[in-house]
Amino acid sequence: MVAILYNIMDVWDTHLLTLRTFEHLYMFSIALFIATIIGISLGIFIYSRPGLANPVLNILNIVETIPDIALLVLLLPFFGLGAGPTIVASILYSILPIARNTYTGLKDVDHEYIYIAEGIGLSPKEILYRVRIPMSLPLIAGGVRIALVFTMGVVTLGGLIAAGGLGTALQTGIYLYEIDTILVAGIWTGILAVILDGFAGIAEKKITARFGSW
Amino acid sequence: MKTTQTQRLFDRIESIRLANVTKKYDDRFAVDDLNLEIKGGELLILIGQSGSGKTTTLRMINRLIELDEGHITINGQDIMGFDPVKLRRNIGYVIQNIGLFPHMDIHDNIGLVPKLEGWSEGEISGRVEHLLDFVALPHETFINRYPRQLSGGQQQRVGLARALAMDPPLLLMDEPFGALDPLLRRQLQDEFVRIKHEIGRTIVFVTHDIDEAFKLGDRIGIMDGGKLVQVGTPEELILAPENELVASIVDADKKFKHMDTLRVKDMLSHLDDKYIFESGMGVDQALDRMAVNNVEIGIVCDGSGLAGQVEMADLLRSRDEGKTLEDIAESSIVFSPHDSVAMALGELKDRGRSVAIVMENERPFGLFFSDEVLLKLI
């Protein structure tokens, strides 16, 4: 037992896993933050221009079907190696679930509420900001949560193109066939993902309790 | 209480006029050449089957539905000349499913439009508290709750409070009690009757429940197939239904059901001069006059007004005694034309009489015969 713990500490120190974890979370946070802003904005945009909704969502769907390794490679000519293309790839993957959920949420708010909002004298803009967006928050949160999982995956893959993060330790372990390293880095990455998703789940529940319709 | 003066399109309603209003969906007329004048301060009911056009008519007044032909004017101004958002903020709106926003607490739900109108937080809170108390929801308890924490009846009260937030001179209500269970509906109707006068607004109210219509309405408009078939007071509809449909909706063949609604003035017999006798007239002379005119009852009047009544049977007992009518006239039961028929019949029965005098402005106005009322009712 103590030996195992010692092994873990050894791997952790050798591969700078504390630093790698910070790098990992750094890329993850930036990617998810930007993806959320772009995704929600795009969702609102295509909601307000319904003609664009299908083309835009189709394009995002195509991006989504590109395998992640291929996407990283495709981005190399533009962004070089490292964290840049990894973050961009994460964002590209994450926009779809957020934008699609935002769009669906805005569009599918129970018509009864829109109707009474009009009836008591809200302008279309006020209906969007006071009724549609707040009432879509549970669905938007669901989209962000899906994006979170995508982002975790892509950021880990970033180790392939020298992005840093936990993926780097994992890659090293694979190249050198160090089972200990693979296990420690792999399990830790998995635990991290589960913890983050757990927090996201709690946040989503809170938002649903506050803004969901009953 | 509120200091921010929101710009108003109208301070009070003089009249709302719907002229040749038509709304078509494809080839079907939802509302077909409808003409209606709603008077300021009245509660007008629109009643009809679903698909009769009553809700469409209501929604055209606040431009939730735009009319195809015709004009709707409020105080003589065509509503198409108003900005729809501004128009709706001057008109309270209550619907069956209430539609309180689930993500806002009661304060925010009621205060939404005042907030958008730029009221200060203090003004909004004051208004919300006042309105909650007005609809019998203690504001300390309810102001910070969410709609889902309220029962259906409580939600409906909040819906009414929200409609009153901007103190609108006109209220549109679309089956506001329709979704409630019968007992609660009745209770809220009773309360609504009470606050109707306090509200003192012009109200257009859509329902399919004729009992509700009779209970709440000053006038009732009956709609069928997009047309306004008849509009009138409950009495007019019961006593002079325009056609079979109106008769069946108001249950005109069972008028006794409407005893609470009917007034003495609807049931009285016209007071012909032949019933009126001077108090100084001799008994024998009065008997002769009754015989000639074929009446058996007389209203005895003196210089100052009503002195009582005499019946032929009493006169016969007192003939040849040299008395005048003044001596034998009995005091009369007197009703006002606005008394209810049910109350009047009850009083006649209690006092063992069959006839009463209906007075208006201190003058005899008509006669109220209990047996004649019963004949009219069946």
Side-chain angles (χ1 to χ4, degrees), chain A residues 112-124 126 130-131 134-135 209-214, chain B residues 59 62 64 85 88-89 91 93 95 97-104 112-113 115-116 146 148 162:
Chain A
E112 194 69 41
Y113 296 114
I114 304 310
Y115 186 70
I116 189 72
E118 273 178 45
I120 64 174
L122 268 63
S123 67
E126 287 160 351
R130 305 268 173 182
V131 182
M135 294 192 73
R210 173 71 180 74
F211 293 97
S213 34
W214 296 73
Chain B
R59 291 177 183 176
N62 67 359
L64 278 175
V85 168
R88 290 173 201 144
R89 288 189 185 178
I91 300 176
Y93 188 52
I95 57 173
N97 296 327
I98 313 161
L100 296 180
F101 299 116
H103 58 289
M104 298 181 194
L112 178 57
V113 172
K115 187 172 181 178
L116 295 175
Y146 281 86
R148 61 177 174 274
R162 176 175 64 185

Short mmCIF file of all heavy atoms in Angstrom, two decimals, chain A residues 112-124 126 130-131 134-135 209-214, chain B residues 59 62 64 85 88-89 91 93 95 97-104 112-113 115-116 146 148 162:
data_model
loop_
_atom_site.label_atom_id
_atom_site.label_comp_id
_atom_site.label_asym_id
_atom_site.label_seq_id
_atom_site.Cartn_x
_atom_site.Cartn_y
_atom_site.Cartn_z
N GLU A 112 -47.30 29.87 -24.06
CA GLU A 112 -48.18 30.54 -23.10
C GLU A 112 -47.48 31.75 -22.45
O GLU A 112 -48.07 32.81 -22.28
CB GLU A 112 -48.56 29.52 -22.01
CG GLU A 112 -49.70 29.95 -21.14
CD GLU A 112 -51.00 29.98 -21.91
OE1 GLU A 112 -51.26 29.08 -22.73
OE2 GLU A 112 -51.75 30.94 -21.70
N TYR A 113 -46.21 31.57 -22.12
CA TYR A 113 -45.47 32.65 -21.45
C TYR A 113 -45.17 33.79 -22.41
O TYR A 113 -45.23 34.97 -22.04
CB TYR A 113 -44.16 32.10 -20.86
CG TYR A 113 -44.40 31.09 -19.77
CD1 TYR A 113 -44.03 29.77 -19.93
CD2 TYR A 113 -45.05 31.45 -18.59
CE1 TYR A 113 -44.26 28.83 -18.94
CE2 TYR A 113 -45.30 30.52 -17.60
CZ TYR A 113 -44.90 29.21 -17.78
OH TYR A 113 -45.15 28.29 -16.81
N ILE A 114 -44.85 33.44 -23.64
CA ILE A 114 -44.56 34.47 -24.63
C ILE A 114 -45.83 35.28 -24.86
O ILE A 114 -45.83 36.50 -24.96
CB ILE A 114 -44.11 33.81 -25.96
CG1 ILE A 114 -42.92 32.92 -25.71
CG2 ILE A 114 -43.82 34.88 -27.00
CD1 ILE A 114 -41.81 33.56 -24.93
N TYR A 115 -46.92 34.54 -24.91
CA TYR A 115 -48.20 35.14 -25.20
C TYR A 115 -48.62 36.14 -24.12
O TYR A 115 -49.02 37.27 -24.41
CB TYR A 115 -49.20 34.00 -25.32
CG TYR A 115 -50.50 34.48 -25.75
CD1 TYR A 115 -50.67 34.93 -27.04
CD2 TYR A 115 -51.55 34.56 -24.85
CE1 TYR A 115 -51.87 35.45 -27.41
CE2 TYR A 115 -52.73 35.07 -25.23
CZ TYR A 115 -52.90 35.51 -26.51
OH TYR A 115 -54.08 36.03 -26.87
N ILE A 116 -48.48 35.73 -22.86
CA ILE A 116 -48.86 36.64 -21.78
C ILE A 116 -47.86 37.80 -21.71
O ILE A 116 -48.24 38.93 -21.42
CB ILE A 116 -48.99 35.91 -20.42
CG1 ILE A 116 -49.60 36.85 -19.36
CG2 ILE A 116 -47.67 35.40 -19.90
CD1 ILE A 116 -51.04 37.15 -19.55
N ALA A 117 -46.59 37.52 -22.03
CA ALA A 117 -45.61 38.60 -22.01
C ALA A 117 -45.99 39.68 -23.03
O ALA A 117 -45.95 40.87 -22.75
CB ALA A 117 -44.21 38.04 -22.32
N GLU A 118 -46.39 39.23 -24.22
CA GLU A 118 -46.88 40.19 -25.22
C GLU A 118 -48.10 40.92 -24.70
O GLU A 118 -48.24 42.13 -24.82
CB GLU A 118 -47.28 39.46 -26.50
CG GLU A 118 -46.18 39.22 -27.48
CD GLU A 118 -46.70 38.45 -28.69
OE1 GLU A 118 -47.78 38.78 -29.21
OE2 GLU A 118 -46.03 37.48 -29.08
N GLY A 119 -48.99 40.13 -24.09
CA GLY A 119 -50.26 40.68 -23.64
C GLY A 119 -50.12 41.77 -22.59
O GLY A 119 -50.89 42.72 -22.57
N ILE A 120 -49.13 41.63 -21.70
CA ILE A 120 -48.99 42.67 -20.69
C ILE A 120 -48.07 43.79 -21.17
O ILE A 120 -47.80 44.72 -20.43
CB ILE A 120 -48.49 42.11 -19.33
CG1 ILE A 120 -47.09 41.53 -19.45
CG2 ILE A 120 -49.45 41.07 -18.80
CD1 ILE A 120 -46.51 41.11 -18.10
N GLY A 121 -47.59 43.69 -22.41
CA GLY A 121 -46.91 44.83 -22.99
C GLY A 121 -45.39 44.77 -22.95
O GLY A 121 -44.74 45.78 -22.73
N LEU A 122 -44.80 43.59 -23.18
CA LEU A 122 -43.35 43.53 -23.34
C LEU A 122 -43.01 43.62 -24.82
O LEU A 122 -43.68 43.02 -25.65
CB LEU A 122 -42.80 42.21 -22.76
CG LEU A 122 -42.35 42.26 -21.30
CD1 LEU A 122 -43.53 42.56 -20.39
CD2 LEU A 122 -41.69 40.95 -20.88
N SER A 123 -41.95 44.35 -25.14
CA SER A 123 -41.51 44.44 -26.52
C SER A 123 -40.78 43.14 -26.86
O SER A 123 -40.36 42.41 -25.97
CB SER A 123 -40.58 45.63 -26.69
OG SER A 123 -39.38 45.40 -25.98
N PRO A 124 -40.59 42.86 -28.17
CA PRO A 124 -39.89 41.62 -28.54
C PRO A 124 -38.53 41.49 -27.87
O PRO A 124 -38.15 40.41 -27.42
CB PRO A 124 -39.74 41.76 -30.06
CG PRO A 124 -40.89 42.62 -30.47
CD PRO A 124 -41.10 43.58 -29.34
N GLU A 126 -37.59 42.85 -24.99
CA GLU A 126 -37.79 42.57 -23.57
C GLU A 126 -38.22 41.12 -23.35
O GLU A 126 -37.83 40.49 -22.36
CB GLU A 126 -38.85 43.52 -22.99
CG GLU A 126 -38.34 44.94 -22.82
CD GLU A 126 -39.45 45.97 -22.74
OE1 GLU A 126 -40.63 45.63 -22.98
OE2 GLU A 126 -39.13 47.14 -22.46
N ARG A 130 -36.03 39.08 -20.89
CA ARG A 130 -36.68 38.88 -19.59
C ARG A 130 -37.35 37.52 -19.48
O ARG A 130 -37.62 37.06 -18.38
CB ARG A 130 -37.76 39.95 -19.36
CG ARG A 130 -37.26 41.34 -19.48
CD ARG A 130 -36.82 41.85 -18.14
NE ARG A 130 -36.19 43.14 -18.27
CZ ARG A 130 -35.68 43.79 -17.24
NH1 ARG A 130 -35.72 43.27 -16.04
NH2 ARG A 130 -35.09 44.95 -17.43
N VAL A 131 -37.70 36.95 -20.62
CA VAL A 131 -38.46 35.70 -20.57
C VAL A 131 -37.71 34.56 -21.26
O VAL A 131 -37.40 33.55 -20.64
CB VAL A 131 -39.85 35.89 -21.21
CG1 VAL A 131 -40.65 34.60 -21.12
CG2 VAL A 131 -40.60 37.03 -20.54
N PRO A 134 -33.88 33.81 -19.73
CA PRO A 134 -33.90 33.17 -18.39
C PRO A 134 -34.55 31.79 -18.41
O PRO A 134 -34.06 30.86 -17.77
CB PRO A 134 -34.73 34.15 -17.55
CG PRO A 134 -34.70 35.43 -18.27
CD PRO A 134 -34.49 35.14 -19.72
N MET A 135 -35.63 31.66 -19.19
CA MET A 135 -36.31 30.37 -19.19
C MET A 135 -35.53 29.31 -19.95
O MET A 135 -35.83 28.12 -19.84
CB MET A 135 -37.73 30.52 -19.73
CG MET A 135 -38.61 31.37 -18.81
SD MET A 135 -40.36 31.30 -19.19
CE MET A 135 -40.75 29.68 -18.60
N ALA A 209 -33.63 24.40 -10.98
CA ALA A 209 -34.57 24.66 -9.89
C ALA A 209 -34.99 26.12 -9.88
O ALA A 209 -36.13 26.46 -9.56
CB ALA A 209 -33.92 24.29 -8.56
N ARG A 210 -34.09 26.98 -10.28
CA ARG A 210 -34.37 28.41 -10.21
C ARG A 210 -35.13 28.88 -11.44
O ARG A 210 -36.05 29.70 -11.35
CB ARG A 210 -33.03 29.14 -10.09
CG ARG A 210 -33.07 30.64 -10.15
CD ARG A 210 -33.69 31.25 -8.90
NE ARG A 210 -33.71 32.68 -9.02
CZ ARG A 210 -34.53 33.33 -9.80
NH1 ARG A 210 -35.40 32.67 -10.52
NH2 ARG A 210 -34.48 34.64 -9.89
N PHE A 211 -34.77 28.38 -12.61
CA PHE A 211 -35.32 28.94 -13.84
C PHE A 211 -36.22 27.98 -14.63
O PHE A 211 -36.80 28.34 -15.62
CB PHE A 211 -34.19 29.41 -14.77
CG PHE A 211 -33.44 30.58 -14.22
CD1 PHE A 211 -32.25 30.40 -13.53
CD2 PHE A 211 -33.92 31.87 -14.38
CE1 PHE A 211 -31.55 31.48 -13.00
CE2 PHE A 211 -33.23 32.96 -13.85
CZ PHE A 211 -32.05 32.76 -13.16
N GLY A 212 -36.25 26.72 -14.19
CA GLY A 212 -37.05 25.75 -14.94
C GLY A 212 -38.53 26.05 -14.81
O GLY A 212 -38.95 26.65 -13.83
N SER A 213 -39.30 25.61 -15.79
CA SER A 213 -40.74 25.79 -15.66
C SER A 213 -41.31 24.56 -14.96
O SER A 213 -40.77 23.47 -15.05
CB SER A 213 -41.39 25.99 -17.02
OG SER A 213 -40.72 25.25 -17.99
N TRP A 214 -42.38 24.76 -14.26
CA TRP A 214 -42.94 23.68 -13.44
C TRP A 214 -44.33 23.36 -13.88
O TRP A 214 -45.08 24.23 -14.20
CB TRP A 214 -42.92 24.11 -11.97
CG TRP A 214 -41.55 24.31 -11.49
CD1 TRP A 214 -40.71 25.34 -11.80
CD2 TRP A 214 -40.79 23.44 -10.64
NE1 TRP A 214 -39.51 25.18 -11.21
CE2 TRP A 214 -39.53 24.04 -10.49
CE3 TRP A 214 -41.07 22.23 -10.00
CZ2 TRP A 214 -38.53 23.45 -9.73
CZ3 TRP A 214 -40.08 21.67 -9.24
CH2 TRP A 214 -38.82 22.26 -9.10
N ARG B 59 -58.84 39.75 -28.07
CA ARG B 59 -57.43 39.94 -28.38
C ARG B 59 -57.21 41.02 -29.44
O ARG B 59 -56.09 41.53 -29.56
CB ARG B 59 -56.82 38.63 -28.87
CG ARG B 59 -56.72 37.62 -27.75
CD ARG B 59 -56.19 36.29 -28.24
NE ARG B 59 -56.17 35.33 -27.15
CZ ARG B 59 -55.81 34.06 -27.31
NH1 ARG B 59 -55.44 33.62 -28.48
NH2 ARG B 59 -55.82 33.25 -26.28
N ASN B 62 -56.49 44.54 -27.69
CA ASN B 62 -55.12 44.96 -27.34
C ASN B 62 -54.11 44.59 -28.42
O ASN B 62 -52.90 44.56 -28.18
CB ASN B 62 -54.71 44.43 -25.96
CG ASN B 62 -54.56 42.91 -25.91
OD1 ASN B 62 -54.79 42.24 -26.91
ND2 ASN B 62 -54.17 42.40 -24.77
N LEU B 64 -53.25 41.91 -29.80
CA LEU B 64 -52.53 40.64 -29.85
C LEU B 64 -52.87 39.95 -31.16
O LEU B 64 -52.09 39.17 -31.68
CB LEU B 64 -52.92 39.75 -28.66
CG LEU B 64 -52.20 40.03 -27.35
CD1 LEU B 64 -52.76 39.16 -26.25
CD2 LEU B 64 -50.70 39.81 -27.48
N VAL B 85 -47.15 47.94 -28.07
CA VAL B 85 -46.58 47.71 -26.74
C VAL B 85 -47.13 48.74 -25.76
O VAL B 85 -47.55 48.42 -24.65
CB VAL B 85 -45.04 47.75 -26.78
CG1 VAL B 85 -44.46 47.80 -25.37
CG2 VAL B 85 -44.50 46.54 -27.53
N ARG B 88 -50.78 48.02 -24.92
CA ARG B 88 -50.98 46.91 -24.00
C ARG B 88 -50.60 47.29 -22.57
O ARG B 88 -51.13 46.75 -21.61
CB ARG B 88 -50.16 45.69 -24.45
CG ARG B 88 -50.73 45.09 -25.71
CD ARG B 88 -49.83 44.00 -26.26
NE ARG B 88 -50.12 43.78 -27.67
CZ ARG B 88 -49.20 43.49 -28.57
NH1 ARG B 88 -47.93 43.36 -28.21
NH2 ARG B 88 -49.53 43.31 -29.83
N ARG B 89 -49.67 48.22 -22.42
CA ARG B 89 -49.31 48.65 -21.07
C ARG B 89 -50.40 49.52 -20.46
O ARG B 89 -50.39 49.80 -19.27
CB ARG B 89 -47.98 49.40 -21.08
CG ARG B 89 -46.85 48.45 -21.33
CD ARG B 89 -45.49 49.07 -21.16
NE ARG B 89 -44.48 48.09 -21.54
CZ ARG B 89 -43.18 48.33 -21.55
NH1 ARG B 89 -42.72 49.50 -21.17
NH2 ARG B 89 -42.33 47.39 -21.91
N ILE B 91 -53.56 48.58 -20.87
CA ILE B 91 -54.69 47.66 -20.78
C ILE B 91 -54.27 46.46 -19.94
O ILE B 91 -53.28 45.80 -20.26
CB ILE B 91 -55.12 47.17 -22.19
CG1 ILE B 91 -55.55 48.35 -23.06
CG2 ILE B 91 -56.25 46.15 -22.06
CD1 ILE B 91 -55.89 47.95 -24.49
N TYR B 93 -54.40 42.68 -18.59
CA TYR B 93 -54.73 41.46 -19.33
C TYR B 93 -54.60 40.26 -18.42
O TYR B 93 -53.56 40.05 -17.79
CB TYR B 93 -53.77 41.36 -20.53
CG TYR B 93 -54.10 40.26 -21.51
CD1 TYR B 93 -55.38 40.13 -22.03
CD2 TYR B 93 -53.12 39.37 -21.92
CE1 TYR B 93 -55.68 39.14 -22.94
CE2 TYR B 93 -53.41 38.37 -22.84
CZ TYR B 93 -54.69 38.26 -23.34
OH TYR B 93 -54.97 37.27 -24.24
N ILE B 95 -55.41 36.00 -18.25
CA ILE B 95 -55.84 34.84 -19.03
C ILE B 95 -56.06 33.64 -18.13
O ILE B 95 -55.67 33.63 -16.98
CB ILE B 95 -54.81 34.48 -20.14
CG1 ILE B 95 -53.44 34.23 -19.53
CG2 ILE B 95 -54.76 35.57 -21.18
CD1 ILE B 95 -52.44 33.71 -20.54
N ASN B 97 -54.79 30.58 -18.10
CA ASN B 97 -53.65 29.84 -17.58
C ASN B 97 -52.68 30.72 -16.81
O ASN B 97 -51.57 30.31 -16.50
CB ASN B 97 -52.94 29.12 -18.71
CG ASN B 97 -53.85 28.10 -19.34
OD1 ASN B 97 -54.68 27.51 -18.66
ND2 ASN B 97 -53.73 27.91 -20.63
N ILE B 98 -53.14 31.94 -16.53
CA ILE B 98 -52.42 32.86 -15.64
C ILE B 98 -51.08 33.30 -16.20
O ILE B 98 -50.83 34.47 -16.39
CB ILE B 98 -52.20 32.27 -14.23
CG1 ILE B 98 -53.52 31.66 -13.72
CG2 ILE B 98 -51.73 33.35 -13.29
CD1 ILE B 98 -53.34 30.68 -12.59
N GLY B 99 -50.21 32.32 -16.51
CA GLY B 99 -48.93 32.66 -17.13
C GLY B 99 -48.04 33.51 -16.26
O GLY B 99 -47.38 34.42 -16.74
N LEU B 100 -47.99 33.22 -14.96
CA LEU B 100 -46.97 33.87 -14.13
C LEU B 100 -45.62 33.29 -14.55
O LEU B 100 -45.51 32.10 -14.81
CB LEU B 100 -47.22 33.59 -12.65
CG LEU B 100 -48.51 34.15 -12.07
CD1 LEU B 100 -48.61 33.80 -10.60
CD2 LEU B 100 -48.59 35.66 -12.28
N PHE B 101 -44.60 34.14 -14.61
CA PHE B 101 -43.30 33.67 -15.05
C PHE B 101 -42.64 32.86 -13.94
O PHE B 101 -42.45 33.36 -12.84
CB PHE B 101 -42.43 34.84 -15.47
CG PHE B 101 -43.04 35.60 -16.62
CD1 PHE B 101 -43.42 36.91 -16.47
CD2 PHE B 101 -43.25 34.98 -17.84
CE1 PHE B 101 -44.01 37.60 -17.52
CE2 PHE B 101 -43.83 35.65 -18.89
CZ PHE B 101 -44.22 36.96 -18.73
N PRO B 102 -42.30 31.59 -14.22
CA PRO B 102 -41.82 30.71 -13.15
C PRO B 102 -40.46 31.13 -12.59
O PRO B 102 -40.12 30.76 -11.48
CB PRO B 102 -41.72 29.34 -13.84
CG PRO B 102 -41.64 29.63 -15.29
CD PRO B 102 -42.38 30.91 -15.51
N HIS B 103 -39.70 31.91 -13.38
CA HIS B 103 -38.36 32.26 -12.89
C HIS B 103 -38.36 33.58 -12.13
O HIS B 103 -37.31 34.05 -11.73
CB HIS B 103 -37.39 32.34 -14.07
CG HIS B 103 -37.79 33.33 -15.12
ND1 HIS B 103 -38.86 33.14 -15.96
CD2 HIS B 103 -37.28 34.53 -15.46
CE1 HIS B 103 -38.98 34.17 -16.78
NE2 HIS B 103 -38.05 35.03 -16.49
N MET B 104 -39.53 34.17 -11.95
CA MET B 104 -39.59 35.42 -11.19
C MET B 104 -40.45 35.19 -9.95
O MET B 104 -41.46 34.49 -10.01
CB MET B 104 -40.26 36.52 -12.03
CG MET B 104 -39.54 36.87 -13.29
SD MET B 104 -40.44 38.19 -14.13
CE MET B 104 -39.65 38.14 -15.73
N LEU B 112 -43.11 43.66 -13.01
CA LEU B 112 -42.33 43.60 -14.25
C LEU B 112 -42.51 44.83 -15.14
O LEU B 112 -41.55 45.50 -15.51
CB LEU B 112 -42.68 42.32 -15.01
CG LEU B 112 -41.96 42.13 -16.36
CD1 LEU B 112 -40.46 42.15 -16.19
CD2 LEU B 112 -42.39 40.82 -17.02
N VAL B 113 -43.76 45.11 -15.47
CA VAL B 113 -43.99 46.24 -16.38
C VAL B 113 -43.63 47.58 -15.72
O VAL B 113 -42.98 48.42 -16.35
CB VAL B 113 -45.42 46.22 -16.95
CG1 VAL B 113 -45.71 47.49 -17.74
CG2 VAL B 113 -45.61 45.00 -17.85
N LYS B 115 -41.30 48.06 -13.69
CA LYS B 115 -39.84 48.13 -13.77
C LYS B 115 -39.40 48.54 -15.17
O LYS B 115 -38.52 49.38 -15.33
CB LYS B 115 -39.27 46.75 -13.42
CG LYS B 115 -37.77 46.72 -13.30
CD LYS B 115 -37.33 45.37 -12.76
CE LYS B 115 -35.82 45.34 -12.61
NZ LYS B 115 -35.36 44.07 -12.06
N LEU B 116 -40.03 47.93 -16.18
CA LEU B 116 -39.66 48.29 -17.55
C LEU B 116 -40.02 49.74 -17.84
O LEU B 116 -39.42 50.38 -18.70
CB LEU B 116 -40.40 47.37 -18.55
CG LEU B 116 -40.01 45.89 -18.47
CD1 LEU B 116 -40.88 45.06 -19.40
CD2 LEU B 116 -38.54 45.70 -18.83
N TYR B 146 -42.31 32.05 -5.08
CA TYR B 146 -42.33 31.79 -6.51
C TYR B 146 -43.70 31.22 -6.89
O TYR B 146 -44.37 30.60 -6.06
CB TYR B 146 -41.20 30.82 -6.88
CG TYR B 146 -39.88 31.55 -6.97
CD1 TYR B 146 -39.10 31.75 -5.83
CD2 TYR B 146 -39.45 32.11 -8.16
CE1 TYR B 146 -37.91 32.45 -5.89
CE2 TYR B 146 -38.28 32.81 -8.24
CZ TYR B 146 -37.50 32.98 -7.10
OH TYR B 146 -36.34 33.69 -7.17
N ARG B 148 -44.70 28.63 -8.37
CA ARG B 148 -44.96 27.21 -8.13
C ARG B 148 -45.30 26.92 -6.68
O ARG B 148 -45.78 25.86 -6.34
CB ARG B 148 -43.75 26.37 -8.57
CG ARG B 148 -42.48 26.71 -7.80
CD ARG B 148 -41.32 25.81 -8.19
NE ARG B 148 -40.09 26.24 -7.55
CZ ARG B 148 -39.27 27.16 -8.03
NH1 ARG B 148 -39.56 27.76 -9.18
NH2 ARG B 148 -38.18 27.50 -7.38
N ARG B 162 -51.18 41.52 -11.17
CA ARG B 162 -50.26 41.93 -12.22
C ARG B 162 -50.97 42.78 -13.28
O ARG B 162 -50.44 43.77 -13.77
CB ARG B 162 -49.63 40.70 -12.89
CG ARG B 162 -48.73 41.06 -14.05
CD ARG B 162 -48.02 39.87 -14.63
NE ARG B 162 -48.96 38.91 -15.20
CZ ARG B 162 -48.61 37.73 -15.69
NH1 ARG B 162 -47.36 37.35 -15.65
NH2 ARG B 162 -49.51 36.91 -16.19
#
